[in-house]
Amino acid sequence: QLQLVESGGGSVQFGGNLRLSCSASGLALDDAGVAWFRQAPGKEREGVSAISGVRGGSRIVYGDSVKGRFTISRDNAKNIVYLQMNKVRPGDTAVYYCAAEPNYRGLIRIYDNWGRGTRVTVSK
């Protein structure tokens, strides 16, 4: 059974750093499209970053609001995709979700599989 589990969320101060992890069972992330989305209270779910599988060239895309601050990466041996969040702002406060499937969907919210999310709170 395919399962995605996010971890690493918590409270962080403005300007601080945080690393989120998305671990998978039942799916090899190095051969899948994996994306991070986030949803703040009262707002729609927003694409943060995505990475395609190795055979797809490991293409990476970032949402405009996180470019230059967030970095997506993958540890193929551990089957984990990370989201390194640097210089966080209050606007980054949200529940962060990992999504994955064999096809790469970029930041379009049509992935077949989703985790339950991990909450990130940025304080001033």
Side-chain angles (χ1 to χ4, degrees), residues 22 33-37 49-51 72 81 97-100 106-108 111 114:
C22 171
V34 183
W36 286 96
F37 292 83
S49 183
I51 183 169
I72 192 170
V81 169
Y97 298 91
C98 174
L107 296 180
I108 302 174
Y111 286 82
W114 293 79

Side-chain angles (χ1 to χ4, degrees), residues 12-18 85-88:
V12 58
Q13 288 190 328
F14 178 87
N17 305 326
L18 202 64
M85 306 168 59
N86 294 338
K87 300 179 182 178
V88 297

Side-chain angles (χ1 to χ4, degrees), residues 1-123:
Q1 183 178 356
L2 195 154
Q3 187 176 19
L4 301 173
V5 178
E6 303 93 337
S7 61
S11 296
V12 58
Q13 288 190 328
F14 178 87
N17 305 326
L18 202 64
R19 189 177 75 165
L20 306 183
S21 300
C22 171
S23 60
S25 57
L27 179 67
L29 296 183
D30 62 348
D31 198 27
V34 183
W36 286 96
F37 292 83
R38 68 185 182 186
Q39 189 164 17
K43 295 188 177 181
E44 290 191 358
R45 195 165 294 190
E46 171 192 22
V48 176
S49 183
I51 183 169
S52 68
V54 172
R55 286 189 288 181
S58 297
R59 287 173 288 163
I60 289 175
V61 63
Y62 295 100
D64 289 341
S65 61
V66 305
K67 282 181 182 176
R69 299 188 299 120
F70 291 10
T71 302
I72 192 170
S73 63
R74 182 175 55 221
D75 186 325
N76 296 333
K78 294 182 178 179
N79 207 33
I80 295 176
V81 169
Y82 299 102
L83 183 70
Q84 179 67 44
M85 306 168 59
N86 294 338
K87 300 179 182 178
V88 297
R89 309 165 179 167
D92 296 323
T93 295
V95 177
Y96 284 72
Y97 298 91
C98 174
E101 67 165 76
N103 300 305
Y104 176 63
R105 305 296 189 182
L107 296 180
I108 302 174
R109 294 175 295 177
I110 56 174
Y111 286 82
D112 287 342
N113 308 289
W114 293 79
R116 299 181 66 178
T118 185
R119 185 176 301 277
V120 173
T121 303
V122 180
S123 58

